[in-house]
PDB file of all heavy atoms in Angstrom:
ATOM      1  N   THR A 380      -3.174   7.183  34.337  1.00 98.00           N
ATOM      2  CA  THR A 380      -3.110   7.504  35.762  1.00 98.00           C
ATOM      3  C   THR A 380      -1.711   7.274  36.312  1.00 98.00           C
ATOM      4  O   THR A 380      -1.203   8.066  37.131  1.00 98.00           O
ATOM      5  CB  THR A 380      -4.137   6.660  36.545  1.00 98.00           C
ATOM      6  OG1 THR A 380      -5.436   6.852  35.985  1.00 98.00           O
ATOM      7  CG2 THR A 380      -4.175   7.044  38.021  1.00 98.00           C
ATOM      8  N   ALA A 381      -1.062   6.211  35.869  1.00 98.00           N
ATOM      9  CA  ALA A 381       0.293   5.909  36.329  1.00 98.00           C
ATOM     10  C   ALA A 381       1.278   7.001  35.939  1.00 98.00           C
ATOM     11  O   ALA A 381       2.246   7.280  36.666  1.00 98.00           O
ATOM     12  CB  ALA A 381       0.745   4.564  35.767  1.00 98.00           C
ATOM     13  N   ALA A 382       1.038   7.642  34.799  1.00 98.00           N
ATOM     14  CA  ALA A 382       1.920   8.716  34.353  1.00 98.00           C
ATOM     15  C   ALA A 382       1.860   9.916  35.287  1.00 98.00           C
ATOM     16  O   ALA A 382       2.822  10.693  35.373  1.00 98.00           O
ATOM     17  CB  ALA A 382       1.545   9.136  32.925  1.00 98.00           C
ATOM     18  N   LEU A 383       0.754  10.050  36.012  1.00 97.00           N
ATOM     19  CA  LEU A 383       0.568  11.188  36.913  1.00 97.00           C
ATOM     20  C   LEU A 383       0.797  10.840  38.379  1.00 97.00           C
ATOM     21  O   LEU A 383       0.930  11.737  39.213  1.00 97.00           O
ATOM     22  CB  LEU A 383      -0.848  11.746  36.748  1.00 97.00           C
ATOM     23  CG  LEU A 383      -1.209  12.285  35.356  1.00 97.00           C
ATOM     24  CD1 LEU A 383      -2.671  12.707  35.315  1.00 97.00           C
ATOM     25  CD2 LEU A 383      -0.302  13.443  34.972  1.00 97.00           C
ATOM     26  N   ASP A 384       0.814   9.545  38.693  1.00 98.00           N
ATOM     27  CA  ASP A 384       0.946   9.126  40.094  1.00 98.00           C
ATOM     28  C   ASP A 384       1.937   7.970  40.184  1.00 98.00           C
ATOM     29  O   ASP A 384       1.626   6.833  39.801  1.00 98.00           O
ATOM     30  CB  ASP A 384      -0.419   8.707  40.644  1.00 98.00           C
ATOM     31  CG  ASP A 384      -0.393   8.452  42.145  1.00 98.00           C
ATOM     32  OD1 ASP A 384       0.713   8.374  42.731  1.00 98.00           O
ATOM     33  OD2 ASP A 384      -1.484   8.324  42.741  1.00 98.00           O
ATOM     34  N   ALA A 385       3.120   8.266  40.693  1.00 98.00           N
ATOM     35  CA  ALA A 385       4.181   7.253  40.782  1.00 98.00           C
ATOM     36  C   ALA A 385       3.877   6.179  41.824  1.00 98.00           C
ATOM     37  O   ALA A 385       4.563   5.158  41.883  1.00 98.00           O
ATOM     38  CB  ALA A 385       5.508   7.933  41.111  1.00 98.00           C
ATOM     39  N   ARG A 386       2.840   6.394  42.634  1.00 98.00           N
ATOM     40  CA  ARG A 386       2.493   5.383  43.638  1.00 98.00           C
ATOM     41  C   ARG A 386       1.704   4.229  43.050  1.00 98.00           C
ATOM     42  O   ARG A 386       1.564   3.175  43.677  1.00 98.00           O
ATOM     43  CB  ARG A 386       1.667   6.029  44.756  1.00 98.00           C
ATOM     44  CG  ARG A 386       2.374   7.138  45.531  1.00 98.00           C
ATOM     45  CD  ARG A 386       1.399   7.785  46.499  1.00 98.00           C
ATOM     46  NE  ARG A 386       0.243   8.348  45.788  1.00 98.00           N
ATOM     47  CZ  ARG A 386      -0.924   8.644  46.361  1.00 98.00           C
ATOM     48  NH1 ARG A 386      -1.106   8.424  47.657  1.00 98.00           N
ATOM     49  NH2 ARG A 386      -1.904   9.168  45.646  1.00 98.00           N
ATOM     50  N   LEU A 387       1.142   4.398  41.843  1.00 98.00           N
ATOM     51  CA  LEU A 387       0.295   3.361  41.256  1.00 98.00           C
ATOM     52  C   LEU A 387       1.121   2.135  40.885  1.00 98.00           C
ATOM     53  O   LEU A 387       2.124   2.230  40.171  1.00 98.00           O
ATOM     54  CB  LEU A 387      -0.437   3.891  40.024  1.00 98.00           C
ATOM     55  CG  LEU A 387      -1.511   2.966  39.421  1.00 98.00           C
ATOM     56  CD1 LEU A 387      -2.587   3.780  38.732  1.00 98.00           C
ATOM     57  CD2 LEU A 387      -0.944   1.946  38.446  1.00 98.00           C
ATOM     58  N   MET A 388       0.677   0.965  41.338  1.00 98.00           N
ATOM     59  CA  MET A 388       1.307  -0.317  41.029  1.00 98.00           C
ATOM     60  C   MET A 388       0.253  -1.217  40.375  1.00 98.00           C
ATOM     61  O   MET A 388      -0.863  -1.339  40.898  1.00 98.00           O
ATOM     62  CB  MET A 388       1.825  -0.991  42.310  1.00 98.00           C
ATOM     63  CG  MET A 388       2.803  -0.141  43.104  1.00 98.00           C
ATOM     64  SD  MET A 388       4.407   0.037  42.315  1.00 98.00           S
ATOM     65  CE  MET A 388       4.733   1.783  42.626  1.00 98.00           C
ATOM     66  N   GLY A 389       0.591  -1.833  39.266  1.00 98.00           N
ATOM     67  CA  GLY A 389      -0.338  -2.723  38.577  1.00 98.00           C
ATOM     68  C   GLY A 389      -0.014  -4.178  38.852  1.00 98.00           C
ATOM     69  O   GLY A 389       1.129  -4.611  38.676  1.00 98.00           O
ATOM     70  N   ILE A 390      -1.016  -4.923  39.276  1.00 98.00           N
ATOM     71  CA  ILE A 390      -0.820  -6.328  39.656  1.00 98.00           C
ATOM     72  C   ILE A 390      -1.809  -7.198  38.885  1.00 98.00           C
ATOM     73  O   ILE A 390      -2.988  -6.842  38.751  1.00 98.00           O
ATOM     74  CB  ILE A 390      -1.048  -6.530  41.175  1.00 98.00           C
ATOM     75  CG1 ILE A 390      -0.102  -5.627  41.975  1.00 98.00           C
ATOM     76  CG2 ILE A 390      -0.858  -7.990  41.571  1.00 98.00           C
ATOM     77  CD1 ILE A 390      -0.447  -5.566  43.455  1.00 98.00           C
ATOM     78  N   THR A 391      -1.339  -8.333  38.399  1.00 96.00           N
ATOM     79  CA  THR A 391      -2.230  -9.291  37.735  1.00 96.00           C
ATOM     80  C   THR A 391      -1.822 -10.716  38.085  1.00 96.00           C
ATOM     81  O   THR A 391      -0.630 -11.018  38.170  1.00 96.00           O
ATOM     82  CB  THR A 391      -2.206  -9.129  36.204  1.00 96.00           C
ATOM     83  OG1 THR A 391      -3.036 -10.141  35.603  1.00 96.00           O
ATOM     84  CG2 THR A 391      -0.798  -9.271  35.649  1.00 96.00           C
ATOM     85  N   PRO A 392      -2.782 -11.604  38.311  1.00 94.00           N
ATOM     86  CA  PRO A 392      -2.464 -13.019  38.504  1.00 94.00           C
ATOM     87  C   PRO A 392      -2.443 -13.756  37.162  1.00 94.00           C
ATOM     88  O   PRO A 392      -3.389 -14.463  36.793  1.00 94.00           O
ATOM     89  CB  PRO A 392      -3.581 -13.516  39.419  1.00 94.00           C
ATOM     90  CG  PRO A 392      -4.742 -12.636  39.083  1.00 94.00           C
ATOM     91  CD  PRO A 392      -4.192 -11.311  38.632  1.00 94.00           C
ATOM     92  N   ALA A 393      -1.385 -13.536  36.393  1.00 90.00           N
ATOM     93  CA  ALA A 393      -1.130 -14.249  35.131  1.00 90.00           C
ATOM     94  C   ALA A 393      -2.099 -13.884  34.016  1.00 90.00           C
ATOM     95  O   ALA A 393      -2.280 -14.661  33.082  1.00 90.00           O
ATOM     96  CB  ALA A 393      -1.142 -15.761  35.354  1.00 90.00           C
ATOM     97  N   MET A 394      -2.730 -12.730  34.093  1.00 92.00           N
ATOM     98  CA  MET A 394      -3.670 -12.320  33.057  1.00 92.00           C
ATOM     99  C   MET A 394      -3.346 -10.927  32.543  1.00 92.00           C
ATOM    100  O   MET A 394      -4.230 -10.088  32.365  1.00 92.00           O
ATOM    101  CB  MET A 394      -5.107 -12.367  33.596  1.00 92.00           C
ATOM    102  CG  MET A 394      -5.607 -13.758  33.945  1.00 92.00           C
ATOM    103  SD  MET A 394      -5.522 -14.920  32.570  1.00 92.00           S
ATOM    104  CE  MET A 394      -6.677 -14.184  31.446  1.00 92.00           C
ATOM    105  N   GLY A 395      -2.052 -10.660  32.301  1.00 93.00           N
ATOM    106  CA  GLY A 395      -1.632  -9.338  31.870  1.00 93.00           C
ATOM    107  C   GLY A 395      -2.285  -8.899  30.578  1.00 93.00           C
ATOM    108  O   GLY A 395      -2.826  -7.791  30.480  1.00 93.00           O
ATOM    109  N   LYS A 396      -2.265  -9.757  29.566  1.00 92.00           N
ATOM    110  CA  LYS A 396      -2.873  -9.402  28.289  1.00 92.00           C
ATOM    111  C   LYS A 396      -4.390  -9.379  28.394  1.00 92.00           C
ATOM    112  O   LYS A 396      -5.049  -8.435  27.946  1.00 92.00           O
ATOM    113  CB  LYS A 396      -2.441 -10.374  27.206  1.00 92.00           C
ATOM    114  CG  LYS A 396      -2.992 -10.021  25.834  1.00 92.00           C
ATOM    115  CD  LYS A 396      -2.487 -10.953  24.754  1.00 92.00           C
ATOM    116  CE  LYS A 396      -3.058 -10.558  23.388  1.00 92.00           C
ATOM    117  NZ  LYS A 396      -2.601 -11.461  22.307  1.00 92.00           N
ATOM    118  N   GLY A 397      -4.965 -10.409  28.994  1.00 93.00           N
ATOM    119  CA  GLY A 397      -6.418 -10.493  29.096  1.00 93.00           C
ATOM    120  C   GLY A 397      -7.034  -9.359  29.876  1.00 93.00           C
ATOM    121  O   GLY A 397      -8.164  -8.953  29.614  1.00 93.00           O
ATOM    122  N   SER A 398      -6.287  -8.812  30.842  1.00 96.00           N
ATOM    123  CA  SER A 398      -6.810  -7.730  31.673  1.00 96.00           C
ATOM    124  C   SER A 398      -6.410  -6.348  31.175  1.00 96.00           C
ATOM    125  O   SER A 398      -6.740  -5.348  31.808  1.00 96.00           O
ATOM    126  CB  SER A 398      -6.341  -7.907  33.127  1.00 96.00           C
ATOM    127  OG  SER A 398      -6.932  -9.057  33.704  1.00 96.00           O
ATOM    128  N   GLY A 399      -5.669  -6.279  30.073  1.00 96.00           N
ATOM    129  CA  GLY A 399      -5.362  -4.985  29.463  1.00 96.00           C
ATOM    130  C   GLY A 399      -4.152  -4.273  30.017  1.00 96.00           C
ATOM    131  O   GLY A 399      -4.071  -3.043  29.938  1.00 96.00           O
ATOM    132  N   LEU A 400      -3.164  -5.022  30.540  1.00 97.00           N
ATOM    133  CA  LEU A 400      -2.012  -4.381  31.169  1.00 97.00           C
ATOM    134  C   LEU A 400      -0.765  -4.333  30.283  1.00 97.00           C
ATOM    135  O   LEU A 400       0.308  -3.945  30.747  1.00 97.00           O
ATOM    136  CB  LEU A 400      -1.654  -5.100  32.487  1.00 97.00           C
ATOM    137  CG  LEU A 400      -2.430  -4.666  33.730  1.00 97.00           C
ATOM    138  CD1 LEU A 400      -3.857  -5.140  33.663  1.00 97.00           C
ATOM    139  CD2 LEU A 400      -1.774  -5.200  34.993  1.00 97.00           C
ATOM    140  N   VAL A 401      -0.862  -4.723  29.024  1.00 96.00           N
ATOM    141  CA  VAL A 401       0.323  -4.805  28.177  1.00 96.00           C
ATOM    142  C   VAL A 401       1.013  -3.453  28.028  1.00 96.00           C
ATOM    143  O   VAL A 401       2.234  -3.325  28.220  1.00 96.00           O
ATOM    144  CB  VAL A 401      -0.037  -5.390  26.794  1.00 96.00           C
ATOM    145  CG1 VAL A 401       1.166  -5.314  25.856  1.00 96.00           C
ATOM    146  CG2 VAL A 401      -0.514  -6.833  26.932  1.00 96.00           C
ATOM    147  N   ALA A 402       0.258  -2.425  27.677  1.00 97.00           N
ATOM    148  CA  ALA A 402       0.853  -1.099  27.486  1.00 97.00           C
ATOM    149  C   ALA A 402       1.444  -0.570  28.795  1.00 97.00           C
ATOM    150  O   ALA A 402       2.537   0.023  28.806  1.00 97.00           O
ATOM    151  CB  ALA A 402      -0.190  -0.125  26.943  1.00 97.00           C
ATOM    152  N   PHE A 403       0.738  -0.771  29.888  1.00 98.00           N
ATOM    153  CA  PHE A 403       1.252  -0.346  31.194  1.00 98.00           C
ATOM    154  C   PHE A 403       2.566  -1.045  31.515  1.00 98.00           C
ATOM    155  O   PHE A 403       3.525  -0.415  31.981  1.00 98.00           O
ATOM    156  CB  PHE A 403       0.206  -0.653  32.268  1.00 98.00           C
ATOM    157  CG  PHE A 403       0.702  -0.434  33.674  1.00 98.00           C
ATOM    158  CD1 PHE A 403       0.699   0.829  34.229  1.00 98.00           C
ATOM    159  CD2 PHE A 403       1.154  -1.499  34.433  1.00 98.00           C
ATOM    160  CE1 PHE A 403       1.154   1.036  35.528  1.00 98.00           C
ATOM    161  CE2 PHE A 403       1.618  -1.309  35.723  1.00 98.00           C
ATOM    162  CZ  PHE A 403       1.614  -0.037  36.276  1.00 98.00           C
ATOM    163  N   ALA A 404       2.627  -2.368  31.268  1.00 97.00           N
ATOM    164  CA  ALA A 404       3.836  -3.132  31.568  1.00 97.00           C
ATOM    165  C   ALA A 404       5.017  -2.651  30.741  1.00 97.00           C
ATOM    166  O   ALA A 404       6.157  -2.625  31.217  1.00 97.00           O
ATOM    167  CB  ALA A 404       3.581  -4.617  31.325  1.00 97.00           C
ATOM    168  N   GLU A 405       4.769  -2.276  29.496  1.00 97.00           N
ATOM    169  CA  GLU A 405       5.846  -1.801  28.633  1.00 97.00           C
ATOM    170  C   GLU A 405       6.344  -0.422  29.060  1.00 97.00           C
ATOM    171  O   GLU A 405       7.548  -0.142  29.008  1.00 97.00           O
ATOM    172  CB  GLU A 405       5.354  -1.747  27.183  1.00 97.00           C
ATOM    173  CG  GLU A 405       5.102  -3.129  26.581  1.00 97.00           C
ATOM    174  CD  GLU A 405       4.472  -3.058  25.203  1.00 97.00           C
ATOM    175  OE1 GLU A 405       4.076  -1.939  24.788  1.00 97.00           O
ATOM    176  OE2 GLU A 405       4.376  -4.106  24.536  1.00 97.00           O
ATOM    177  N   LYS A 406       5.441   0.418  29.509  1.00 98.00           N
ATOM    178  CA  LYS A 406       5.810   1.790  29.876  1.00 98.00           C
ATOM    179  C   LYS A 406       6.348   1.891  31.296  1.00 98.00           C
ATOM    180  O   LYS A 406       7.228   2.711  31.585  1.00 98.00           O
ATOM    181  CB  LYS A 406       4.596   2.707  29.709  1.00 98.00           C
ATOM    182  CG  LYS A 406       4.951   4.188  29.761  1.00 98.00           C
ATOM    183  CD  LYS A 406       3.785   5.043  29.272  1.00 98.00           C
ATOM    184  CE  LYS A 406       4.171   6.526  29.250  1.00 98.00           C
ATOM    185  NZ  LYS A 406       3.053   7.371  28.739  1.00 98.00           N
ATOM    186  N   PHE A 407       5.804   1.037  32.200  1.00 98.00           N
ATOM    187  CA  PHE A 407       6.217   1.097  33.607  1.00 98.00           C
ATOM    188  C   PHE A 407       6.599  -0.304  34.108  1.00 98.00           C
ATOM    189  O   PHE A 407       5.953  -0.837  35.014  1.00 98.00           O
ATOM    190  CB  PHE A 407       5.084   1.667  34.472  1.00 98.00           C
ATOM    191  CG  PHE A 407       4.574   3.006  34.024  1.00 98.00           C
ATOM    192  CD1 PHE A 407       3.385   3.107  33.316  1.00 98.00           C
ATOM    193  CD2 PHE A 407       5.287   4.163  34.297  1.00 98.00           C
ATOM    194  CE1 PHE A 407       2.905   4.346  32.899  1.00 98.00           C
ATOM    195  CE2 PHE A 407       4.813   5.401  33.887  1.00 98.00           C
ATOM    196  CZ  PHE A 407       3.630   5.500  33.175  1.00 98.00           C
ATOM    197  N   PRO A 408       7.620  -0.919  33.533  1.00 97.00           N
ATOM    198  CA  PRO A 408       7.945  -2.307  33.882  1.00 97.00           C
ATOM    199  C   PRO A 408       8.264  -2.515  35.357  1.00 97.00           C
ATOM    200  O   PRO A 408       7.966  -3.583  35.916  1.00 97.00           O
ATOM    201  CB  PRO A 408       9.160  -2.618  32.994  1.00 97.00           C
ATOM    202  CG  PRO A 408       9.729  -1.284  32.631  1.00 97.00           C
ATOM    203  CD  PRO A 408       8.556  -0.361  32.545  1.00 97.00           C
TER     204      PRO A 408
END
Side-chain angles (χ1 to χ4, degrees):
T380 305
L383 299 176
D384 188 348
R386 299 174 301 161
L387 188 152
M388 303 289 139
I390 302 169
T391 177
M394 294 303 295
K396 183 177 180 181
S398 293
L400 275 71
V401 173
F403 172 82
E405 291 174 351
K406 193 167 183 178
F407 305 102

